[in-house]
Amino acid sequence: MSRKSTNGHPGDTQTFDLFDDTAAETSEPKEKREASEPTPTTDATQVSAHIALSDTTELLALCERWVARGWLRDLDRALVRFLAMEAPDAPPLLLLGAALASHQLGRGHVCLDLNATLNAPDFALSLPPEGDDLTDPPPLPSQVLATLTLADWQAALHHPMLASNGPGNTPLVVSHNGNTTKLYLRRYWQYEQTLHQEIANRLTGEEGNGICRSPIHWTIDSGTEPAGTCRSQIHRAMGDDSHPGILPQALNTLFQPTTTLDWQKTACALAARNRFGIITGGPGTGKTTTVVRLLALLQTLQLAEPDAQPLRIRLAAPTGKAAARLNESIAGQVSLLPTEALADLCDEAVTEQLKASIPTEVTTLHRLLGARPDTRHFRHNAANPLALDVLVIDEASMVDIEMMTAVLRALPAQAQLVLLGDKDQLASVEAGAVLGDLCRRAEAAHYTPETAQWLESATGQPLPPDYIDAQGQPLDQAITMLRVSHRFNEYSGIGQLAQAINQPSHAQSDQEKHQALNKVLRHGYPDLHHLTLTDDAALDKLVIHGSHDKFINGGEGRTDHNGAPIAPPTGYRHYLNVLNTQRPRGASFEENADAYNDWASNVLSAYSHFQLLCALRKGPWGVEGLNLRIAKTLRHEKLLYGSDFTLEKGWYEGRPVLVTQNDYGLKLMNGDIGITLAVPDPRTPGKTLLRVAFPTSDVEKPIRWVLPSRLHTVETVFAMTVHKSQGSEFNHTALLLPPTINPILTRELVYTGITRARDWLTLVEAKRGVLNEAVTREVMRVSGLEEI
């Protein structure tokens, strides 16, 4: 039986204003604290009701013990104290619910599910947390809640000052839906309500007053109008039999005829149809290619209008690293567009205008919205909306509910929003799994017969009957799942392994999944190596050399789908060799900026050839232990230099660092990676000083050099958590699974980790069997968004 893991991304910090349910806010993503294995619930017949369930003083004392042990955060305790002070007559069960709802927010859940908590308290709450040895523990949640019934807890969740069933000013909101009861902090309940309303309005073409103002909507003469169509728009892009419209012609210009269903073409048609659209798909399915063609399609349709101005399009991603990746890939795709042929559909005079109107610059969401330092608020909000017509957000699986709400609040009512992302990747670090919740039905499509007819008219492609559902919901009609990988084929072990892992639990039994995995791992694919650790030497060899000898032909002789040779797999020795052999000699740093920038660029590029990923933060198998271990290993190989203290807590040449919090003063974003390099000290000839080199998108200044003393929110990144790797891609990725199972180890984590590999993957099990256990566990984020 596959198990659901309620652990999302464990957290240390969370701030909220209990009563503010309207302002657009944000919090910087921070790495979270992972939880440990669930403890079986105590048999209720053997214990009496815990005194904390009926005595506020005892409840506060229990919270103190949990905080002292690290099971709850100071913030959770502060919330309970505040509520108890404001309402001394509040039932202890209500206060306990508030503490646990706050605790769940820190772990990525939007709310507390009472049913799931009572069914398996320790597992649902992931208590005790990772690293607790259970020596003299305080009472476990399973012990405290052993005698509590759902009816008793529900009855206690009503207090005129503290909790209500919806609109109002109470800090807590109780939501009953069928047999499920959920407890929210009001701010997050309001986020869900806003997302529900904003998305529904964009799907129906309304903006609150029933008026449709979408800039581009394509009516068709057959009467099968898409949701959101404005009859007042005179531009009939679909045309009819006697006068073919521009939409089918533009799609045929952008996409070559195929004998099979072209999902990218379908995605462009559907995304152009509404003010809200989602394009989801796994690695290599062409999400970037599709969105570039979509932008060309939208601009073509716009410029076909007499005297029309180009659409104002912005591209954004949740992190600096994801933005940089999209920026690199999108520029090449734009240059391949058939802009002259598209311009012929409008007016030859707009050829240059069409080329110039398709953007290639990508920004982060924080920069787009205008983040204000030391506050959760943004410069752009409902009162000061963004000046744009179309917004595309890449890596949308990383966007939490708070940020997604801020985006929708800041969008003009007539603007179009397109989300790109892999629905099967790990959800955001902060609370919510927005893309995953919205795409729960994407696999089976659920297009209505009306949508199917419209798509066939627009694309010339009939949909297979399996994807047509007369009961399809409005949201289904705005989602396209790309299903063909152009990066991984039947000869790629990475692709086959990702496919085997990603099968949902309802599609196969655990035994069938294990058999599928073992078949892939034993097949002998040239890009895949499976390693079970038996001693330290194997891991040391991997991080130093990349264990290239474990791949077929030592990794030599492979080519990509264009026939270009693929470099053999490497380890960290590669970038450190580049650092030492390509260092500018006898040149001052200030007078030879180009030489040092080229050197730093080459080192950063070489570093991206290999990355060790792991699941945990703490312990010998987490980033804290692995980073020091790898640094000492590289020192032993005389590739790094420094004392134990320096390698653990100091700065040294060759140290790779990951930015963990946006720093607007330094223009560094969460997820940016830099390398510490020694450059000549202009004040002391013959001496050097350390500076950290970060890549930029500025051609004139490709490297941003930063003094280490100015970097306060960075960590060494020889080992990186899978959570932090989202939005990144590495030539050779090594995914290390710890020797003991942990709730953080899920199908989504393993899938996300292996799909960070572009050319080579080494899958490392510290103990055999952990992989099989992990892939049968699925993340289950608690929220109400799936009800949309």
Side-chain angles (χ1 to χ4, degrees):
M1 178 70 68
S2 296
R3 288 179 288 176
K4 302 289 185 181
S5 173
T6 60
N7 188 70
H9 304 281
D12 298 318
T13 61
Q14 183 80 29
T15 59
F16 46 79
D17 178 348
L18 293 174
F19 298 97
D20 181 3
D21 60 358
T22 57
E25 303 140 344
T26 182
S27 58
E28 298 297 341
K30 296 192 184 219
E31 194 69 30
K32 303 284 187 174
R33 192 183 294 157
E34 292 85 1
S36 64
E37 277 283 76
T39 303
T41 304
T42 305
D43 187 349
T45 63
Q46 299 178 1
V47 296
S48 58
H50 196 282
I51 190 172
L53 301 182
S54 57
D55 188 313
T56 299
T57 301
E58 292 294 335
L59 174 64
L60 293 175
L62 176 65
C63 289
E64 291 287 350
R65 294 187 64 187
W66 280 355
V67 170
R69 190 75 174 208
W71 292 13
L72 291 184
R73 302 169 299 169
D74 289 331
L75 181 63
D76 308 329
R77 172 182 57 188
L79 173 62
V80 176
R81 284 178 172 176
F82 171 75
L83 296 179
M85 181 175 61
E86 291 294 309
D89 61 335
L93 285 177
L94 176 57
L95 300 177
L96 175 62
L100 297 182
S102 177
H103 165 72
Q104 292 293 71
L105 274 177
R107 298 181 48 251
H109 301 287
V110 176
C111 55
L112 173 71
D113 186 324
L114 268 61
N115 307 57
T117 303
L118 289 177
N119 288 338
D122 300 340
F123 182 65
L125 301 170
S126 286
L127 294 177
E130 173 202 347
D132 194 305
D133 59 9
L134 287 182
T135 301
D136 189 27
L140 297 172
S142 55
Q143 296 170 324
V144 175
L145 302 177
T147 62
L148 184 61
T149 67
L150 179 60
D152 288 340
W153 208 353
Q154 290 173 329
L157 296 183
H158 296 282
H159 188 282
M161 288 183 59
L162 302 185
S164 65
N165 291 328
N169 294 317
T170 59
L172 304 173
V173 176
V174 182
S175 173
H176 300 287
N177 184 19
N179 296 323
T180 303
T181 299
K182 295 173 181 173
L183 182 63
Y184 292 82
L185 299 190
R186 174 164 294 278
R187 178 187 297 280
Y188 288 86
W189 177 83
Q190 187 62 56
Y191 290 155
E192 280 196 358
Q193 299 305 305
T194 300
L195 287 182
H196 274 274
Q197 190 61 51
E198 290 286 345
I199 293 174
N201 287 348
R202 291 176 187 279
L203 291 174
T204 59
E206 298 179 1
E207 51 177 277
N209 56 4
I211 299 175
C212 176
R213 297 183 182 174
S214 181
I216 306 177
H217 280 295
W218 324 117
T219 64
I220 62 176
D221 290 335
S222 63
T224 55
E225 289 190 2
T229 297
C230 297
R231 273 295 186 185
S232 60
Q233 296 289 346
I234 62 172
H235 182 195
R236 295 181 170 271
M238 284 295 294
D240 54 32
D241 293 339
S242 60
H243 299 88
I246 190 175
L247 176 59
Q249 294 181 70
L251 286 170
N252 289 334
T253 301
L254 288 165
F255 296 92
Q256 297 298 316
T258 61
T259 56
T260 57
L261 179 62
D262 189 337
W263 283 104
Q264 294 186 16
K265 188 176 185 181
T266 299
C268 284
L270 278 181
R273 195 181 184 218
N274 290 304
R275 286 184 294 152
F276 178 79
I278 298 176
I279 300 174
T280 185
T285 52
K287 295 186 290 295
T288 303
T289 302
T290 302
V291 79
V292 170
R293 294 180 183 180
L294 170 63
L295 300 182
L297 173 66
L298 295 177
Q299 289 290 22
T300 301
L301 297 173
Q302 175 73 3
L303 293 174
E305 284 285 313
D307 302 320
Q309 294 298 312
L311 294 168
R312 298 166 299 173
I313 300 174
R314 298 295 302 273
L315 308 175
T319 67
K321 185 68 176 179
R325 265 195 66 201
L326 181 61
N327 198 76
E328 292 170 1
S329 59
I330 208 167
Q333 293 290 339
V334 170
S335 65
L336 300 176
L337 287 172
T339 49
E340 292 186 3
L342 290 171
D344 290 342
L345 300 176
C346 309
D347 184 336
E348 292 184 3
V350 305
T351 300
E352 293 303 318
Q353 190 178 27
L354 182 60
K355 289 181 179 179
S357 64
I358 301 173
T360 57
E361 182 180 349
V362 186
T363 186
T364 64
L365 288 173
H366 286 85
R367 283 174 172 160
L368 175 75
L369 294 176
R372 295 159 57 184
D374 303 320
T375 176
R376 302 168 72 99
H377 300 277
F378 291 108
R379 184 164 55 88
H380 289 289
N381 48 43
N384 180 32
L386 293 161
L388 53 78
D389 299 307
V390 179
L391 174 62
V392 176
I393 301 178
D394 192 27
E395 296 290 351
S397 63
M398 301 169 63
V399 183
D400 61 89
I401 191 170
E402 182 175 2
M403 176 59 79
M404 192 67 78
T405 303
V407 169
L408 282 163
R409 282 173 170 163
L411 275 183
Q414 77 279 4
Q416 195 164 1
L417 175 63
V418 180
L419 304 181
L420 293 181
D422 187 343
K423 67 179 180 63
D424 297 309
Q425 278 191 190
L426 282 170
S428 59
V429 174
E430 302 294 335
V434 178
L435 187 72
D437 285 339
L438 296 178
C439 291
R440 285 186 186 277
R441 289 160 54 91
E443 194 81 36
H446 297 285
Y447 298 130
T448 63
E450 292 76 17
T451 296
Q453 181 183 345
W454 187 88
L455 279 172
E456 185 171 358
S457 299
T459 66
Q461 303 178 138
L463 285 176
D466 289 349
Y467 298 126
I468 301 176
D469 178 7
Q471 304 301 317
Q473 301 300 308
L475 179 62
D476 299 328
Q477 318 312 305
I479 300 175
T480 308
M481 178 176 170
L482 305 181
R483 302 165 191 268
V484 179
S485 176
H486 303 281
R487 182 191 307 169
F488 304 128
N489 55 28
E490 65 271 22
Y491 305 109
S492 167
I494 300 172
Q496 295 299 312
L497 186 62
Q499 183 176 353
I501 287 173
N502 207 29
Q503 290 296 317
S505 59
H506 62 77
Q508 60 184 181
S509 67
D510 291 358
Q511 183 177 2
E512 290 172 332
K513 173 162 282 192
H514 296 162
Q515 291 173 346
L517 284 178
N518 291 332
K519 182 179 179 181
V520 173
L521 294 175
R522 294 172 181 172
H523 184 275
Y525 288 103
D527 58 346
L528 176 61
H529 171 47
H530 180 215
L531 171 65
T532 301
L533 295 181
T534 56
D535 53 42
D536 292 345
L539 182 59
D540 293 344
K541 183 178 179 181
L542 172 64
V543 298
I544 296 170
H545 307 287
S547 296
H548 57 84
D549 57 317
K550 299 299 182 180
F551 292 89
I552 295 175
N553 297 326
E556 300 283 355
R558 285 187 64 213
T559 59
D560 62 19
H561 61 280
N562 293 320
I566 296 175
T570 62
Y572 288 131
R573 178 187 288 276
H574 174 59
Y575 93 89
L576 291 169
N577 283 341
V578 171
L579 185 157
N580 287 307
T581 60
Q582 298 188 22
R583 185 195 308 273
R585 305 292 179 183
S588 68
F589 179 70
E590 282 73 14
E591 295 176 357
N592 295 274
D594 289 343
Y596 281 94
N597 285 340
D598 289 344
W599 173 50
S601 296
N602 292 337
V603 174
L604 286 162
S605 176
Y607 174 81
S608 71
H609 285 203
F610 176 77
Q611 182 65 60
L612 179 69
L613 303 181
C614 59
L616 307 176
R617 287 200 56 79
K618 299 180 180 296
W621 301 101
V623 291
E624 293 180 359
L626 287 170
N627 275 317
L628 180 58
R629 172 178 173 175
I630 293 170
K632 290 181 177 180
T633 299
L634 296 173
R635 180 182 63 184
H636 183 266
E637 293 291 309
K638 298 186 178 354
L639 295 170
L640 292 178
Y641 298 93
S643 64
D644 286 353
F645 178 83
T646 299
L647 294 183
E648 183 175 7
K649 297 183 179 180
W651 289 91
Y652 50 89
E653 186 173 40
R655 181 191 180 194
V657 294
L658 175 76
V659 177
T660 59
Q661 187 173 342
N662 292 352
D663 189 324
Y664 299 99
L666 296 177
K667 298 182 180 179
L668 296 176
M669 295 293 108
N670 176 47
D672 287 349
I673 291 178
I675 303 291
T676 310
L677 300 174
V679 299
D681 186 344
R683 299 164 300 181
T684 310
K687 299 292 184 178
T688 62
L689 56 80
L690 295 178
R691 292 192 180 181
V692 186
F694 291 93
T696 74
S697 56
D698 188 342
V699 177
E700 299 296 324
K701 297 181 179 179
I703 298 296
R704 178 170 291 109
W705 296 90
V706 182
L707 289 171
S709 59
R710 300 190 65 191
L711 296 170
H712 305 295
T713 55
V714 297
E715 59 186 32
T716 305
V717 70
F718 289 118
M720 179 191 298
T721 63
V722 175
H723 302 107
K724 285 291 186 182
S725 74
Q726 288 180 265
S728 301
E729 191 177 71
F730 310 97
N731 295 36
H732 180 195
T733 297
L735 175 61
L736 173 61
L737 302 180
T740 57
I741 198 63
N742 186 294
I744 199 72
L745 293 175
T746 61
R747 171 172 67 89
E748 290 82 358
L749 180 136
V750 177
Y751 170 79
T752 301
I754 67 174
T755 54
R756 300 310 92 203
R758 182 165 58 240
D759 300 319
W760 309 98
L761 172 68
T762 300
L763 180 60
V764 186
E765 288 185 273
K767 181 180 179 182
R768 184 174 296 277
V770 175
L771 173 65
N772 281 345
E773 180 71 16
V775 297
T776 57
R777 305 162 63 94
E778 299 178 0
V779 169
M780 184 58 67
R781 283 282 183 92
V782 179
S783 79
L785 268 187
E786 68 273 10
E787 299 163 11
I788 197 170

